[in-house]
C-alpha cells in the first residue's frame, strides 16, 4: 500500500476541533530497531519505551473472549492425563472453570486417578472466585476459609505419594499463606515443603515467585531480587509476574543479591533482570556494566542483544528529545527537568561507551551474531558523525551471516541515513541509490523506519532547495540556507520530498510525520507551478518518474492546489485560470456541494432600509445599493466563476469613483472575507476548517523558531483578514452616501478585530498559557488594542451616527452593541 498523501487537494474536511491522529504510545525519536537483535517474541515487552511496557497489557489480560492459555501447567496436565484430552479443554477447566470443561476433565480422571480429582476439587475451592477482576458476577473470596484450606493442603502434602500432586500441594501451601498475608509463614513453608522435593518443576518456581514476594514484603529486597531473577530466568509461565514485581516498585540492582547466587547462571540471571528495568541511572552499576557481566557469565543468554538495543534506544530518548518535550510526556514518573538536562548532556559519552562495547562484542567469538554488533557499532558511528567508520562497519555487518530480516532492514535504513548525511552535492548516482531506499521504506508500520524515512526526506528537500546549506544539528539540515535552487526542477523535487514526509498510510499515523495541511498552507504558488511543469515535462529521468510515482500526485490534484494557493494570495485572475483546468465535475461533488453553498459575496448582516445621501429614510422599495446581500442556500457561483468575478471587480474598481467604487470595493471585501477562516467559502483556499484555529498552541519550543511561527501567523491573511480590511477601507473612502461608508467602515473595524484576536491568542502563549480572564492579561490586552488595533475601529466609532446604519444595527444585531463597548470604554 502506498503512502496516503493528498495535501490541500484532499477532499475530506475537518470540522470542529482539530485532533491529532492516534500515535503509537511507544513512539519517540529513534532510528535503531530493537527487533534487529535476537530477542524472543515473548521478551519484546521489555524493549525500551517511555511507557510502562512495550505492549497493551490490559488488552492482553482482559480482552474480549481471550484464547485459552496453553502454558507449562496445561502441557504438564496433558502429559499427566496421558494426552487423552485436548490442551484447550484442560485450560478452560483449570483457569476459566467452564462447567462443561470441568465435567469432561473430572470424568476423564475419576476412574483411574481419584486423587487427581480430589486435588482439582481442592484447588478450585481454594481459588474461590479469584478470576477476572472485571467480572461483576464473580463470587467473592471467603477469607475465613483460607486457613482451613491451608491446613488441608499441608495434610494432603504429607499423605499423597504422587510426586506430581505433592509438588502442587506444596505450592498451594505457599500461595495460601501469602494470600493470608503471612509472609513469614510463606517463606517457611517454601523452605520446609518445596525445597526438600527431590525433583522440582516449574510448579516449584511458582512457589518461589510467591516466596520472593514474601521476601519483598518483609524488607529483604536483595533476596527478593535474587529469587525473582531465578523465576524470570527459568519459568516462562511466571516470567512476567517476576519482572513486574520489580518494575512496579522501581526496584534497581543491589550488589547483595549476588551473594545468594550459587552459579554463574544464577548471577547472570540477576544482572539480566535488573538490566531491563526502567530508570537506571548512568554511572555506578549501570545497564552496560550489567550487560558486560551477562556476556562474561552466560554468552548465550537470549537477553544480551535485547539489553544492548534497549540501551541504545534509552540513550536515543535523551539524546534526541528536548527538555520541554520531556516535561510534557506521559511517563509514569517524570524526574525534574534539571535531571533530564544532566542526563541528556551525558548521552554522547554513553554512546561512545556503547560503541566500544559493540565492537568488542563483534569480535567476541563466544557471541554468535557479529552482524548485529557491527550494525550497532555502525549506528553509533553515525550518531557520532564518524561516517567513514559507519560505512566500514556496515560493510562488515553485510559480510557476516544474518538470518534476522529486521537486521537486514536495519542495515538498509542505516545506509539510507548515511547517504543523506554524506551527500553534499546531489548527483544522478545519489538519486539512483536514494530512490531504491525510498521505495523500500515508503509504506511501513514501524515508527523507527518512518522516523528515518521522514528525516531523510526532510534533509533531501532542503538539499534540493538550498544545495549549499551548511549542516546544523540533528535532523535540521533544513535550516541556515544560503543558495536558492538553480532550476525549477530542483524546487519541484524539494516539494515532492516534502510531500513524502506526510502521513504514511490510512491505517498508520506517526508522530514524526508532517501534517499535510501544514505543507499546503506554506507552499507557494510558484512552487506548485514548477511542480506541474516538472510532472508534465517529457524526457523524464528514471529517478523523476519513480519520485513522482512515490508522491502519488496528479496534475488535477496539483492544479486544484494551485488554484487554492493563488486564491490565498488574492491573485484572482490566475486562480480562475487554474480552477478552470480542473475537471468541472469536481464542483458537483463533496465537499463543494456541502461547504460551498452560500453566496460568497454575502456577509450575514441585518437588512437596512435604503437612505439618500443626506441620510433621510426612503421607502423600502427604493434601492441605492445599501442593503447587504442575502445568504441564499443556492450558491450561484462555481469556484471558477467566483474567482473570475473577483478579478473583474478589481478591474472595474480601478476606474470607478464615488458610490460605484464603494460598492465594488465592498463586494471585493466581502469576497476576501469569505475566503478567510471567518467566511463561508474557506474551501476555495484550504481543504479543511477547524474550530481549533488559528494554530497558536502547537508551536516550537525554540524561542527563535517560535517567534518565526508567530510572525507567520500574524502575516497570514486567512486569520487576520487584512486584505478584506483594505478593500473595505477603500470602499469607505470612496463612498459618498454615509450609509455606504458606515457599512464598509464597520466591516473594516471587524477585520481589525480579527487581527487583534490572533495577536491576543499569541500573547496568551507568550505569557505561559495565561487565562483570558486574568486581570493583568485583560489590562495588557486592552492597552495593546488601543495602541495597535484601534485605528479602523476609532474611525468607524467617531462617524457611526451619520445615518440609519447605527439604529438598524442596534435593532437587528445583538452583537453590535457589544462591538461598540470597546469604543465607549476607550473614551471615544
Amino acid at each position: 500500500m502506498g503512502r496516503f498523501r493528498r495535501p490541500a487537494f484532499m477532499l475530506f474536511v475537518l470540522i470542529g476541533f482539530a485532533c491529532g491522529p492516534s500515535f503509537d504510545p511507544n513512539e519517540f525519536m529513534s532510528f535503531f530497531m530493537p527487533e534487529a537483535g535476537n530477542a524472543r517474541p515473548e521478551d519484546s515487552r521489555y524493549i525500551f519505551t517511555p511507557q510502562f511496557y512495550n505492549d497493551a497489557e490490559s488488552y492482553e489480560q482482559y480482552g474480549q473472549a481471550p484464547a485459552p492459555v496453553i502454558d507449562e501447567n496445561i502441557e504438564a496436565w496433558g502429559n499427566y492425563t496421558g494426552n487423552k484430552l485436548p490442551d484447550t479443554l484442560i485450560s478452560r477447566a483449570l483457569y476459566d472453570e467452564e462447567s462443561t470443561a470441568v465435567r469432561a476433565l473430572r470424568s476423564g480422571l475419576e476412574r483411574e486417578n481419584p486423587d487427581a480429582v480430589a486435588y482439582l476439587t481442592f484447588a478450585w475451592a481454594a481459588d474461590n472466585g479469584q478470576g477476572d477482576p472485571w467480572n461483576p458476577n464473580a463470587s467473592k473470596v471467603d477469607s475465613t476459609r483460607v486457613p482451613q484450606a491451608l491446613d488441608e493442603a499441608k495434610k494432603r502434602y504429607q499423605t499423597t505419594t504422587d510426586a506430581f500432586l505433592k509438588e502442587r500441594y506444596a505450592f498451594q501451601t505457599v500461595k495460601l499463606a501469602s494470600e493470608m498475608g503471612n509472609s513469614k509463614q510463606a517463606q517457611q513453608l517454601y523452605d520446609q515443603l518445596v525445597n526438600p522435593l527431590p525433583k522440582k518443576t516449574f510448579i516449584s518456581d511458582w512457589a518461589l515467585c510467591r516466596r520472593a514476594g514474601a521476601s519483598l514484603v518483609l524488607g529483604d529486597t536483595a533476596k527478593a531480587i535474587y529469587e525473582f531473577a531465578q523465576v524470570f530466568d527459568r519459568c516462562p509461565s511466571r516470567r512476567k509476574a517476576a519482572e513486574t514485581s520489580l518494575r512496579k516498585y522501581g526496584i534497581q540492582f543491589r550488589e547483595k543479591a549476588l551473594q545468594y547466587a550459587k552459579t554463574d547462571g544464577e548471577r547472570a540471571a540477576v544482572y539480566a533482570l535488573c538490566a531491563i528495568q526502567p530508570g537506571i541511572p548512568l554511572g555506578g552499576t549501570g545497564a552496560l556494566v550489567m550487560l558486560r557481566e551477562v556476556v562474561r557469565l552466560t554468552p548465550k543468554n537470549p537477553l544480551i542483544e535485547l539489553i544492548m538495543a534497549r540501551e541504545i534506544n534509552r540513550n536515543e530518548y535523551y539524546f534526541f528529545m528536548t527538555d520541554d518535550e520531556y516535561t510534557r510526556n506521559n511517563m509514569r514518573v517524570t524526574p525534574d527537568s534539571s535531571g533530564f538536562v544532566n542526563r541528556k548532556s551525558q548521552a554522547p559519552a554513553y554512546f561512545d561507551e556503547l560503541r566500544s562495547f559493540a565492537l568488542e562484542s563483534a569480535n567476541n567469538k563466544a557471541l554468535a551474531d557479529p552482524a548485529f554488533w557491527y550494525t550497532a557499532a555502525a549506528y553509533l558511528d553515525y550518531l557520532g558523525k564518524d561516517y567513514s567508520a559507519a560505512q566500514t562497519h556496515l560493510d562488515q555487518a553485510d559480510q557476516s551471516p544474518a538470518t534476522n530480516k529486521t537486521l537486514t532492514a536495519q542495515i538498509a535504513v542505516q545506509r539510507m541515513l548515511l547517504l543523506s548525511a554524506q551527500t553534499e552535492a546531489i548527483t544522478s548516482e545519489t538519486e539512483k541509490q536514494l530512490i531504491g531506499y525510498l521505495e523500500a521504506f515508503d509504506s511501513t508500520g514501524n515508527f523507527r523506519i518512518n522516523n528515518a524515512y521522514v528525516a531523510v526526506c526532510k534533509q533531501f528537500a532542503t538539499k534540493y532547495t538550498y544545495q549549499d546549506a551548511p549542516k546544523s544539528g540533528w535532523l535540521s539540515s533544513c535550516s541556515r540556507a544560503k543558495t536558492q535552487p538553480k532550476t525549477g526542477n530542483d524546487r519541484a523535487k524539494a516539494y515532492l520530498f516534502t510531500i513524502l514526509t506526510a502521513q504514511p498510510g490510512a491505517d498508520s499515523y506517526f508522530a514524526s510525520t508532517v501534517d499535510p495541511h501544514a505543507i499546503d498552507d506554506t507552499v507557494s504558488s510558484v512552487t506548485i507551478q514548477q511542480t506541474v511543469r516538472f510532472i508534465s515535462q517529457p524526457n523524464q529521468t528514471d529517478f523523476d518518474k519513480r519520485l513522482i510515482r512515490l508522491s502519488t500526485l496528479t496534475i488535477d490534484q496539483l492544479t486544484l492546489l494551485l488554484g487554492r494557493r493563488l486564491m490565498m494570495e488574492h491573485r484572482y485572475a490566475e486562480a480562475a485560470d487554474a480552477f478552470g483546468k480542473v475537471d468541472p465535475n469536481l464542483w458537483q461533488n463533496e465537499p463543494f456541494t456541502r461547504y460551498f453553498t452560500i453566496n460568497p459575496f454575502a456577509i450575514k448582516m441585518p437588512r437596512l432600509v435604503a437612505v439618500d445621501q443626506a441620510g433621510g429614510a426612503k421607502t423600502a422599495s427604493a434601492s441605492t445599493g445599501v442593503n447587504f446581500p442575502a445568504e441564499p442556500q443556492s450558491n450561484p457561483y462555481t469556484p471558477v466563476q467566483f474567482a473570475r468575478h473577483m478579478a473583474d471587480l478589481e478591474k472595474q474598481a480601478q476606474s470607478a469613483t464615488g458610490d460605484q467604487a464603494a460598492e465594488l470595493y465592498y463586494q471585493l471585501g466581502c469576497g476576501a472575507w469569505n475566503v478567510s477562516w471567518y467566511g463561508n467559502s474557506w474551501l476555495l483556499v484550504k481543504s479543511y476548517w477547524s474550530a481549533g484555529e488559528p494554530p497558536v498552541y502547537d508551536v516550537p519550543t525554540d524561542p527563535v523558531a517560535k517567534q518565526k511561527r508567530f510572525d507567520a501567523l500574524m502575516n497570514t491573511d486567512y486569520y487576520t483578514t487584512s486584505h478584506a480590511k483594505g478593500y473595505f477601507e477603500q470602499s469607505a473612502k470612496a463612498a459618498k452616501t454615509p450609509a455606504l461608508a458606515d457599512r464598509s467602515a464597520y466591516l473594516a473595524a471587524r477585520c481589525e478585530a480579527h487581527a487583534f484576536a490572533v495577536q491576543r491568542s499569541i500573547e496568551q502563549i507568550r505569557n505561559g498559557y495565561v487565562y483570558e480572564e486574568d486581570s493583568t492579561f485583560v489590562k495588557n490586552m486592552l492597552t495593546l488594542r488601543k495602541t495597535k488595533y484601534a485605528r479602523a475601529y476609532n474611525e468607524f466609532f467617531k462617524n457611526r451616527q451619520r445615518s440609519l446604519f447605527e439604529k438598524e444595527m442596534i435593532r437587528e444585531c445583538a452583537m453590535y452593541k457589544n462591538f461598540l463597548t470597546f469604543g465607549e470604554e476607550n473614551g471615544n
Side-chain angles (χ1 to χ4, degrees):
M1 178 176 64
R3 294 170 91 75
F4 176 78
R5 49 177 83 85
R6 289 174 286 174
F9 33 82
M10 282 190 288
L11 297 185
F12 74 92
V13 182
L14 304 179
I15 299 294
F17 285 96
C19 298
S22 183
F23 301 128
D24 180 342
N26 299 316
E27 277 193 68
F28 58 99
M29 185 51 65
S30 167
F31 300 137
F32 191 82
M33 292 181 282
E35 298 87 354
N38 63 356
R40 297 171 297 193
E42 60 267 28
D43 289 336
S44 63
R45 72 197 316 262
Y46 309 120
I47 288 171
F48 174 79
T49 172
Q51 308 302 306
F52 192 61
Y53 277 120
N54 183 53
D55 62 12
E57 191 170 358
S58 60
Y59 296 119
E60 185 180 300
Q61 293 183 6
Y62 308 121
Q64 295 295 320
V69 176
I70 309 300
D71 59 12
E72 300 158 296
N73 190 38
I74 300 304
E75 292 174 352
W77 275 98
N79 293 332
Y80 182 68
T81 57
N83 295 312
K84 296 177 181 178
L85 297 171
D87 288 346
T88 53
L89 183 145
I90 295 174
S91 177
R92 290 197 298 270
L94 294 185
Y95 295 153
D96 298 323
E97 297 185 40
E98 289 184 8
S99 57
T100 55
V102 168
R103 285 195 297 271
L105 183 57
R106 279 181 182 276
S107 63
L109 291 170
E110 278 176 343
R111 291 183 182 179
E112 299 179 3
N113 197 338
D115 288 345
V117 175
Y119 170 76
L120 289 172
T121 302
F122 166 81
W124 284 321
D127 283 341
N128 193 21
Q130 298 182 64
D132 184 353
W134 303 110
N135 181 2
N137 300 316
S139 57
K140 302 298 181 183
V141 176
D142 185 353
S143 59
T144 62
R145 295 182 57 189
V146 177
Q148 299 173 9
L150 175 58
D151 290 339
E152 184 178 351
K154 291 178 184 178
K155 292 176 184 177
R156 288 177 179 274
Y157 172 86
Q158 298 296 339
T159 58
T160 186
T161 58
D162 187 320
F164 182 87
L165 300 178
K166 194 178 193 70
E167 187 180 25
R168 279 160 175 74
Y169 280 121
F171 161 70
Q172 291 287 352
T173 65
V174 179
K175 184 192 80 166
L176 291 167
S178 296
E179 290 174 355
M180 289 170 58
N182 194 332
S183 299
K184 190 63 179 177
Q185 186 179 22
Q187 287 183 324
Q188 292 170 345
L189 288 169
Y190 178 88
D191 296 341
Q192 294 168 3
L193 304 183
V194 179
N195 250 345
L197 292 173
K199 182 180 178 181
K200 298 183 182 66
T201 70
F202 64 91
I203 287 295
S204 294
D205 286 331
W206 286 20
L208 179 58
C209 196
R210 290 280 185 172
R211 192 194 194 287
S215 299
L216 195 59
V217 170
L218 294 171
D220 193 350
T221 305
K223 185 65 176 291
I225 291 173
Y226 163 75
E227 291 170 334
F228 280 131
Q230 305 319 307
V231 175
F232 179 80
D233 182 60
R234 65 194 184 209
C235 184
S237 52
R238 285 295 182 270
R239 191 177 182 85
K240 186 195 320 185
E243 193 277 337
T244 303
S245 297
L246 297 188
R247 185 175 295 242
K248 69 179 180 179
Y249 296 116
I251 296 173
Q252 304 294 336
F253 174 80
R254 299 195 182 186
E255 192 77 29
K256 187 179 177 183
L258 297 173
Q259 297 177 7
Y260 301 102
K262 304 175 187 62
T263 66
D264 284 349
E266 289 189 349
R267 280 184 280 276
V270 171
Y271 282 123
L273 177 60
C274 292
I276 61 172
Q277 297 307 304
I280 300 173
L282 287 183
T285 307
L288 181 55
V289 175
M290 290 186 273
L291 177 56
R292 288 183 182 277
E293 288 301 303
V294 176
V295 170
R296 182 180 67 84
L297 295 168
T298 54
K300 303 302 181 187
N301 194 305
L303 286 175
I304 287 173
E305 292 181 13
L306 184 149
I307 297 170
M308 179 62 179
R310 179 183 174 81
E311 285 305 285
I312 292 174
N313 295 156
R314 185 166 75 103
N315 210 43
E316 283 179 303
Y317 177 75
Y318 290 94
F319 184 70
F320 287 122
M321 189 176 288
T322 68
D323 181 18
D324 183 70
E325 288 172 325
Y326 181 72
T327 58
R328 286 191 288 114
N329 73 14
N330 58 353
M331 286 184 68
R332 184 168 163 267
V333 178
T334 303
D336 62 63
S337 58
S338 61
F340 170 80
V341 171
N342 293 336
R343 176 64 179 78
K344 183 178 178 70
S345 68
Q346 297 170 323
Y350 191 48
F351 272 141
D352 283 341
E353 292 182 46
L354 291 172
R355 176 183 177 277
S356 297
F357 178 73
L359 290 175
E360 290 173 20
S361 300
N363 293 292
N364 186 340
K365 302 301 181 184
L367 298 174
D369 193 9
F372 169 81
W373 296 104
Y374 278 126
T375 303
Y379 181 61
L380 298 166
D381 291 328
Y382 164 77
L383 292 179
K385 299 188 179 181
D386 188 348
Y387 303 135
S388 177
Q391 193 72 51
T392 298
H393 292 138
L394 280 181
D395 291 341
Q396 289 175 297
D398 265 335
Q399 294 163 10
S400 304
T403 57
N404 186 338
K405 290 183 179 179
T406 306
L407 178 57
T408 302
Q410 179 66 39
I411 293 171
V413 166
Q414 289 178 213
R415 289 197 183 280
M416 178 177 68
L417 290 168
L418 267 181
L419 176 64
S420 182
Q422 292 178 296
T423 296
E424 295 293 338
I426 301 174
T427 65
S428 58
E429 182 58 32
T430 302
E431 292 181 333
K432 182 179 179 180
Q433 293 180 55
L434 177 62
I435 196 64
Y437 293 129
L438 296 179
E439 289 172 337
F441 300 124
D442 177 60
S443 183
T444 176
N446 186 299
F447 77 86
R448 289 181 172 87
I449 293 179
N450 191 76
N451 285 345
Y453 187 99
V454 170
V456 167
C457 288
K458 286 181 179 179
Q459 290 162 4
F460 270 95
T462 299
K463 292 176 193 294
Y464 278 107
T465 306
Y466 306 107
Q467 293 200 28
D468 293 337
K471 297 183 179 70
S472 59
W474 289 97
L475 311 181
S476 63
S477 57
C478 333
S479 60
R480 294 175 57 198
K482 287 183 178 179
T483 306
Q484 293 289 337
K486 296 178 181 178
T487 69
N489 283 354
D490 288 334
R491 188 181 291 275
K493 290 178 184 179
Y495 174 68
L496 293 180
F497 271 96
T498 302
I499 290 297
L500 296 184
T501 66
Q503 296 170 358
D507 300 323
S508 300
Y509 298 90
F510 297 111
S512 61
T513 54
V514 179
D515 182 352
H517 302 305
I519 299 173
D520 307 340
D521 291 347
T522 55
V523 64
S524 70
S525 58
V526 172
T527 296
I528 299 302
Q529 288 168 332
Q530 291 168 330
T531 306
V532 169
R533 286 194 291 268
F534 176 73
I535 290 180
S536 305
Q537 70 185 3
N539 303 320
Q540 294 171 342
T541 68
D542 179 65
F543 171 80
D544 296 343
K545 294 175 183 177
R546 293 161 74 181
L547 179 61
I548 293 167
R549 187 162 54 247
L550 275 177
S551 74
T552 71
L553 295 178
T554 67
I555 295 296
D556 214 36
Q557 292 169 335
L558 283 170
T559 305
L560 176 57
L561 175 57
L562 176 59
R564 281 175 164 158
R565 295 310 296 160
L566 290 167
M567 285 294 292
M568 185 76 85
E569 297 167 15
H570 301 284
R571 295 160 62 181
Y572 304 119
E574 295 170 83
D577 290 341
F579 284 147
K581 296 175 183 176
V582 176
D583 183 351
N585 291 324
L586 181 66
W587 317 131
Q588 308 304 319
N589 298 308
E590 290 273 10
F592 292 95
T593 53
R594 178 177 297 188
Y595 299 110
F596 187 56
T597 61
I598 299 174
N599 184 351
F601 291 102
I603 296 177
K604 190 173 184 180
M605 296 282 284
R607 190 167 182 81
L608 304 180
V609 296
V611 296
D612 60 18
Q613 292 187 7
K618 286 192 175 183
T619 63
S621 60
S623 175
T624 59
V626 173
N627 289 316
F628 299 93
E631 289 189 298
Q633 289 301 307
S634 178
N635 178 9
Y637 299 94
T638 67
V640 180
Q641 292 168 337
F642 171 66
R644 185 68 64 197
H645 190 51
M646 287 290 286
D648 291 342
L649 288 171
E650 277 194 323
K651 188 174 181 180
Q652 294 169 27
Q654 291 173 2
S655 58
T657 59
D659 285 350
Q660 182 187 18
E663 182 62 29
L664 292 170
Y665 280 121
Y666 173 77
Q667 290 185 50
L668 283 165
C670 289
W673 172 301
N674 277 321
V675 293
S676 76
W677 182 76
Y678 305 89
N680 58 40
S681 302
W682 52 265
L683 190 58
L684 299 192
V685 295
K686 297 185 73 172
S687 64
Y688 74 102
W689 186 95
S690 169
E693 296 178 83
V696 295
Y697 293 97
D698 185 18
V699 294
T701 56
D702 176 71
V704 175
K706 181 187 289 187
Q707 185 57 49
K708 286 183 178 179
R709 177 74 63 83
F710 289 154
D711 291 343
L713 278 172
M714 285 309 303
N715 286 284
T716 301
D717 183 60
Y718 183 71
Y719 303 117
T720 65
T721 58
S722 58
H723 211 79
K725 176 174 174 284
Y727 286 135
F728 289 131
E729 288 177 331
Q730 287 178 285
S731 175
K733 183 178 179 180
K736 301 301 181 182
T737 301
L740 288 176
D742 283 351
R743 178 182 65 177
S744 294
Y746 167 68
L747 289 174
R750 288 274 302 274
C751 290
E752 185 177 60
H754 294 160
F756 170 70
V758 177
Q759 186 70 65
R760 182 180 58 193
S761 297
I762 290 172
E763 295 305 320
Q764 279 187 273
I765 308 303
R766 282 197 178 127
N767 286 274
Y769 298 88
V770 65
Y771 288 109
E772 286 189 19
E773 297 83 4
D774 179 89
S775 58
T776 301
F777 180 74
V778 170
K779 182 180 178 181
N780 291 340
M781 291 303 98
L782 182 59
T783 301
L784 176 64
R785 187 171 183 192
K786 286 179 179 180
T787 56
K788 271 189 87 173
Y789 297 97
R791 185 187 59 79
Y793 184 95
N794 291 337
E795 183 69 23
F796 166 72
F797 192 86
K798 286 186 298 186
N799 301 303
R800 72 187 191 279
Q801 295 180 334
R802 292 182 305 182
S803 72
L804 292 177
F805 181 86
E806 166 90 349
K807 294 179 182 178
E808 290 297 317
M809 286 294 289
I810 289 177
R811 185 172 66 85
E812 297 288 346
C813 183
M815 297 181 64
Y816 180 72
K817 187 164 181 56
N818 290 336
F819 180 78
L820 296 178
T821 302
F822 168 71
E824 294 166 355
E825 293 175 349
N826 201 22
N828 289 326

